[in-house]
Amino acid sequence: MNFPERFSDLPEYAFPRLRTLLDHHQPGGEVIHMTIGAPMHDFPAWVTDVITENAAGFKGYPPNEGSPELRSAITDWIDRRYGVSMDPDTNVMALNGTREGLYNAAMALCPEQKNGEKPVILCPNPFYQVYMVASLSVRAEPVFVSANAATGHLPNYSGLPKDVLNRTVAAYICSPANPQGAVASRDYWVQLIQLAETYDFRIFADECYSEIYRDTAPTGVLTVAQELGADPERITLFNSLSKRSNLAGLRSGLIAGGPETIKRVKQLRNYAGAPLPLPLQAAAAKVWADEAHVVENRALYQEKYTIADEVFAGVQGYMAPEAGFFLWLPVENGEETTLRLWQETGVRVLPGAYLSQGDPGQNPGEQFIRVAMVAPKTELRQGLITLRDCIYS
């Protein structure tokens, strides 16, 4: 039996790789999980009531692009959040989680060649792994651009050589950034949009952490694109209820963009998509329409920022995240530190190199660990203190 080679050289995914590193060692104390960014705060209690009330919808095939009610709720949210008016019939589509959309956007929108050459897709480094796999799936060359302290923990795409930019068909950008928590400013978005217009490529804006922040809501790409009068087909936005509303299992994501963008993604999804069941779409529509629970959720994370700032006060290199719920902590060697933490304390974190690309010595995540601040506050504080005392004392 023959198997394809196209994905044969993919590195092991981050979490199986972590299990390989840790699971044959005994934890050194009570286990505290700080690896996966799975929100643990409560979601709105009425969500289950909405699903139950609409349970008859499980009998029918759900609409591929999302129900009219869900799409209207999404465009209403975009208007409230970004000040941008969009047509629910032509500018948005519901997703079964944003990972699906981030992958399918490359499949549906990236051409086979650019200026007669192999296309390039730009990815921040560290990065969400689907960016790389989407690039490889369309036979593009993924170019990983370091997002480190020198660049404000966001990729400096404008610093790339012209021969790379001339082949670029799309650029993924995550703001607030996973894992660093850095936020793209208005000036950053302006520069990126202008670069995309100069070299004629698309921006795939992953803003899934946009509703978890300290004080000021992160500027969204749609807002800036509208101010600049940018081609609506140039910008594609992705977001979801996973972090905003603690509903990762509901799988309600969105993609928003120009009419031709949505038309092409929709056409691909007609053949290969898996839409949300109608009762879940009904619940998602109600959740997108409600902001009270989002404010409460954000306040809980703001308390966690304060805890982290207190615990790591005075720790050299500590970077307080602007948004999101990860800490990106500097260490001498992320993999060695992760193993040591597990063996000595039972605290479980993720080596930064597992989220990045690069040979040893060139990997921008090599000297970091990622710590998810999703546990209840008491457990979080204890985990962070234990971590600090183990590796920084």
Side-chain angles (χ1 to χ4, degrees), residues 236-267:
T236 309
L237 172 75
F238 304 87
N239 214 314
S240 81
L241 295 180
S242 295
K243 283 73 178 178
R244 172 189 182 270
S245 303
N246 306 307
L247 282 165
L250 189 66
R251 310 311 301 141
S252 178
L254 71 86
I255 179 173
E260 186 64 22
T261 292
I262 299 304
K263 176 182 175 182
R264 288 175 178 265
V265 176
K266 185 185 299 184
Q267 176 70 346

Side-chain angles (χ1 to χ4, degrees), residues 188-268:
Y188 183 94
W189 284 126
V190 168
Q191 184 180 53
L192 181 57
I193 292 169
Q194 290 176 342
L195 187 72
E197 290 179 330
T198 299
Y199 289 95
D200 192 24
F201 62 80
R202 298 175 181 274
I203 296 170
F204 293 155
D206 179 355
E207 297 191 18
C208 287
Y209 295 88
S210 67
E211 305 314 288
I212 301 172
Y213 52 84
R214 286 180 181 262
D215 302 308
T216 304
T219 300
V221 67
L222 291 182
T223 304
V224 180
Q226 178 173 264
E227 291 173 0
L228 296 178
D231 181 352
E233 305 295 346
R234 193 167 302 286
I235 314 297
T236 309
L237 172 75
F238 304 87
N239 214 314
S240 81
L241 295 180
S242 295
K243 283 73 178 178
R244 172 189 182 270
S245 303
N246 306 307
L247 282 165
L250 189 66
R251 310 311 301 141
S252 178
L254 71 86
I255 179 173
E260 186 64 22
T261 292
I262 299 304
K263 176 182 175 182
R264 288 175 178 265
V265 176
K266 185 185 299 184
Q267 176 70 346
L268 175 62

Side-chain angles (χ1 to χ4, degrees), residues 267-284:
Q267 176 70 346
L268 175 62
R269 202 166 193 271
N270 281 332
Y271 285 92
L276 289 179
L278 277 167
L280 303 190
Q281 292 194 32

Side-chain angles (χ1 to χ4, degrees), residues 71-86 91-93 222-223 237 239 254-257 288 291:
R71 286 183 281 112
S72 291
I74 288 171
T75 53
D76 287 348
W77 178 77
I78 288 173
D79 195 5
R80 293 195 309 272
R81 177 62 174 83
Y82 300 111
V84 176
S85 178
M86 297 193 119
N91 289 129
V92 299
M93 191 173 74
L222 291 182
T223 304
L237 172 75
N239 214 314
L254 71 86
I255 179 173
W288 280 112
E291 290 295 330

Side-chain angles (χ1 to χ4, degrees), residues 19 29 77 81 200 278 302 315 321 326 372 393:
R19 291 192 290 271
W77 178 77
R81 177 62 174 83
D200 192 24
L278 277 167
Q302 288 167 341
V315 172
F326 294 115
S393 298

